[in-house]
Amino acid sequence: MSEIRLYITTTERRADIALSLMTDAFEEEGYAIATMEIDEKNDIWEASVYMFRQDEAEVHERFAALLATEFPDAQIRREELPDIDWIAKSLEGLKPVRAGRFVVHGSHDRDTARAGEIAIEIDAGQAFGTGHHGTTAGCLEVIYKVMRARKVRRVLDLGTGSGVLAIAARKMAPVKALATDIDPIATRVASENVRLNGIVSGIALETAPGFHSTAFRRHGPFDLIIANILARPLMRMAPQLAAQLSPGGDVILSGILASQRWKVLAAYNGAGLRHVRTLWREGWVTIHLDNRR
């Protein structure tokens, strides 16, 4: 299915403004947005939003509307991208990633684990989460810290993507984990990765569009909840997420830009959770909270 890029050309400072506008308009709906430098000497940047062809007309109209005030003279340009598996292509040749005691690797690096490390095999696929992104690596590091410090019995991996975080928890201890995603493709990919890593029990995978799903009642409450999603949906679901937590439980949140951390913390403090630590990686943060007051 062909992917389309709609973009404007501007300066670095104004590209930041465009990115903020696009984040507010498109982030929660899963459209990819980006800014990139084209010409450093002449301060030429592009601000882009990506979509599939069938969504182009609607997105173009919305893109033009949100730019109208700040960018009245901007010309929206269009690029049709070749039908390539960009995730697989971008991850070709990536080296193993180490976080805590975990090492996440592709099939070509199966012999990479050192003594005492917990190896997780994740190849490039259709779902997010290979460990190479700062948010996933940050979650892995905090999972290791939490599960080394106390006994965890039930884990929720919310927005599981590739399944790497549920796999990490299950490999570290004999937990019962529920891994959910709103995308059935992600659920299928995660299931394949669970089998690839030799896990035959202990992880239940379900496609769940929200906390009204019966999966949470059947498998919860949870001693540890991990949600590597995006800041805005995390803030919106704070009360519901906190309600799924066992007394004395821990929460790990990521998918949060450093500039967004205070808003996320405020939402979860309001839901009764206490900030434990914040881990910084590559402009992203992973936030650890608990309900132990």
Side-chain angles (χ1 to χ4, degrees), residues 52-120:
F52 290 118
R53 183 191 297 277
Q54 70 266 24
D55 299 321
E56 181 181 358
E58 178 192 354
V59 174
H60 190 288
E61 182 179 351
R62 291 170 58 192
F63 194 29
L66 70 90
L67 294 172
T69 301
E70 292 285 348
F71 300 84
D73 301 322
Q75 179 183 354
I76 297 177
R77 295 183 171 88
R78 176 186 188 275
E79 179 185 13
E80 186 163 342
L81 303 174
D83 191 11
I84 296 173
D85 185 346
W86 289 107
I87 297 176
K89 188 172 181 63
S90 66
L91 294 174
E92 287 174 358
L94 283 180
K95 295 181 179 179
V97 171
R98 288 179 163 83
R101 269 184 59 204
F102 300 110
V103 54
V104 185
H105 61 85
S107 56
H108 57 287
D109 280 316
R110 284 176 180 159
D111 298 328
T112 195
R114 303 164 185 161
E117 288 186 326
I118 302 170
I120 304 171

Side-chain angles (χ1 to χ4, degrees), residues 30-214:
Y31 293 110
I33 57 177
T35 59
M36 67 181 109
E37 185 178 54
I38 305 302
D39 185 334
E40 180 180 7
K41 182 179 179 180
N42 295 303
D43 190 24
I44 298 174
W45 284 64
E46 290 178 353
S48 309
V49 57
Y50 297 79
M51 79 259 17
F52 290 118
R53 183 191 297 277
Q54 70 266 24
D55 299 321
E56 181 181 358
E58 178 192 354
V59 174
H60 190 288
E61 182 179 351
R62 291 170 58 192
F63 194 29
L66 70 90
L67 294 172
T69 301
E70 292 285 348
F71 300 84
D73 301 322
Q75 179 183 354
I76 297 177
R77 295 183 171 88
R78 176 186 188 275
E79 179 185 13
E80 186 163 342
L81 303 174
D83 191 11
I84 296 173
D85 185 346
W86 289 107
I87 297 176
K89 188 172 181 63
S90 66
L91 294 174
E92 287 174 358
L94 283 180
K95 295 181 179 179
V97 171
R98 288 179 163 83
R101 269 184 59 204
F102 300 110
V103 54
V104 185
H105 61 85
S107 56
H108 57 287
D109 280 316
R110 284 176 180 159
D111 298 328
T112 195
R114 303 164 185 161
E117 288 186 326
I118 302 170
I120 304 171
E121 184 173 325
I122 304 287
D123 270 328
Q126 292 176 284
F128 173 81
T130 63
H132 293 87
H133 195 276
T135 61
T136 310
C139 286
L140 289 168
E141 191 164 333
V142 182
I143 288 170
Y144 175 68
K145 290 178 184 295
V146 169
M147 295 185 65
R148 184 180 61 175
R150 73 180 192 92
K151 187 172 183 177
V152 173
R153 295 180 176 85
R154 294 182 181 272
V155 175
L156 170 61
D157 178 9
L158 189 69
T160 192
S162 68
V164 63
L165 303 179
I167 293 168
R170 177 62 181 170
K171 284 204 166 192
M172 190 165 177
V175 300
K176 292 183 177 179
L178 171 64
T180 69
D181 206 287
I182 62 173
D183 183 355
I185 293 176
T187 309
R188 176 178 57 77
V189 171
S191 179
E192 293 168 358
N193 286 330
V194 167
R195 289 193 296 271
L196 178 66
N197 282 273
I199 298 172
V200 295
S201 64
I203 299 180
L205 292 118
E206 299 208 23
T207 302
F211 281 110
H212 59 272
S213 169
T214 61

